[in-house]
Amino acid sequence: MSVRKEVLLDYTKEELQDIITPSFRAKQIWQWVYHKYVNDFYEMKNLPKDLQKSLQERFVITPLEILTVQKSMDGSIKYLFKLYDGHTVEAVLLLMRAKEYNDDGSLKHHERYTLCLSSQVGCKVGCAFCLTAKGGFVRDLTPGEIVAQLLMIKKENNIDANRRVNIVYMGMGEPLDNLENVAQAIKIFSDLDGFAISPNRQTVSTSGLSAKIEKLGKLDLGVNLAISLHAVDDVLREKLMPINKAYNISSIIDAVKKFPINARKRVMFEYLMIKDINDDLSAAKKLVKLLSGIKAKVNLIYFNPYEESDFQRPDLSSMVAFQEYLIAKGLLCTIRESKGLDISAACGQLREQNL
Ligand code: SAH
Ligand code: SF4
């Protein structure tokens, strides 16, 4: 049986400095990989031949393979990746703002991108409205598998190494159920010799594993936090999100209150609006109470339907009424545009695929 090689993308630069001699080579390798998107040690021209060879024998750089690419009408692109063991995960490049030019033809601003990354194959949490949950849980992604999603998407789209992008851990899986590997990926992404994506441009979205929220807070990485709340009373939340039996709403609120938040940031509360289930104003009223005293912003999400789903998309009028109520009460509240809906790349529509 062939022995699997180590994956270079699993390591932080500091770890690599301990592994590779002389250690200054680690920084050069990082620059080839993360700035020039090179995937072959023999192309790293400033490394001596014998080092190239020993690296090639020991490591693979990218552990993923792109299987399919789907482009949305709105400019978002969904990638299906194959993992070494044949399982698949998806990640999405979201075009938040197109490139714009001034009247004189000069560039006003570049495209603004957000990358939505997966952290697990499937998910254990089993939310009633989520397509990812339907396939059950398969396994955690390794740090390198998380890092590679972004690396390959940047390379495929010729996104310049120093172009700023945002990351949201909102693809497949529950990031806090794979905290160690997600934390490692956050560190790798933020290294100034690599992608240099500051933690305050990275958002971890969780279904509310309160104990892990506290753990993430203690790591003090500087990331943003998003809570998938979706219901304001425990009875309904338990029906929608069984995890609520273990971590109820008040435990989540307590954990959020302890979480270190960047002075200019807020904790995002995601509220998935499902027609006739949680879209009435009495819920909005309870939400205001619940969030009092927290530096919060609310992001209302349309339920995105998929085949065999039991729920329906809410009416625009109820979304707007809900939003207006929150704003009138002094809460920041936005309605999330569903990007990539035509290619099933929107929230909750990512799943493993058998090809
Ligand atoms: N597991 C994490 C992150 C991945 S899910 C979490 O739950 O937060 C990313 C977001 O998509 C979550 O807010 C989730 O509740 C939402 N989502 C799941 N299914 C959805 C659907 N069918 N329509 C819209 N949003 C959905
Ligand atoms: Fe898992 Fe998030 Fe889907 Fe819930 S919404 S099943 S936590 S991926």
Side-chain angles (χ1 to χ4, degrees), residues 129-130 169-171 173-175 205-207 228 230 270 272 301-304 306 347-348:
F129 44 77
C130 175
Y169 298 92
M170 293 186 186
E174 165 53 54
S205 174
T206 177
S207 55
S228 294
H230 308 336
E270 296 164 282
L272 176 69
I301 312 173
Y302 281 96
F303 169 70
N304 290 320
Y306 48 87
C347 293

Side-chain angles (χ1 to χ4, degrees), residues 123-127 129-130 132-133 171-174 207 230 241:
C123 185
K124 285 181 205 158
V125 178
C127 301
F129 44 77
C130 175
T132 301
M172 292 161 62
E174 165 53 54
S207 55
H230 308 336
M241 308 174 74

Side-chain angles (χ1 to χ4, degrees), residues 64-75:
L64 304 183
E65 205 184 295
I66 295 177
L67 282 181
T68 59
V69 180
Q70 280 174 279
K71 293 195 177 170
S72 163
M73 308 268 287
D74 64 26

Side-chain angles (χ1 to χ4, degrees), residues 138-273:
V138 179
R139 71 166 172 88
D140 287 335
L141 293 188
T142 60
E145 287 168 339
I146 300 171
V147 172
Q149 296 169 47
L150 187 134
L151 178 66
M152 294 180 81
I153 292 178
K154 278 189 97 176
K155 181 176 181 173
E156 279 294 299
N157 292 278
N158 295 315
I159 300 176
D160 201 71
N162 53 28
R163 178 83 54 77
R164 286 183 163 188
V165 297
N166 294 323
I167 295 174
V168 291
Y169 298 92
M170 293 186 186
M172 292 161 62
E174 165 53 54
L176 294 190
D177 190 33
N178 184 17
L179 178 55
E180 204 178 309
N181 293 349
V182 169
Q184 174 86 344
I186 291 167
K187 285 184 207 154
I188 295 172
F189 284 133
S190 54
D191 192 298
L192 293 175
D193 287 318
F195 288 124
I197 304 170
S198 148
N200 68 36
R201 294 184 158 272
Q202 304 187 45
T203 301
V204 172
S205 174
T206 177
S207 55
L209 281 64
S210 312
K212 293 292 183 68
I213 294 172
E214 289 184 28
K215 216 165 166 187
L216 176 70
K218 288 201 179 111
L219 293 178
D220 212 10
L221 299 170
V223 282
N224 303 315
L225 183 64
I227 304 289
S228 294
L229 192 65
H230 308 336
V232 287
D233 68 81
D234 284 318
V235 176
L236 175 62
R237 198 165 189 275
E238 260 178 39
K239 283 192 194 136
L240 297 175
M241 308 174 74
I243 189 83
N244 199 73
K245 291 191 191 103
Y247 300 109
N248 65 12
I249 296 176
S250 72
S251 78
I252 297 173
I253 297 293
D254 287 347
V256 167
K257 284 184 174 159
K258 288 187 211 147
F259 192 83
I261 305 162
N262 184 307
R264 297 195 312 274
K265 299 278 180 174
R266 288 164 186 275
V267 173
M268 177 150 81
F269 285 84
E270 296 164 282
Y271 191 89
L272 176 69
M273 297 270 277

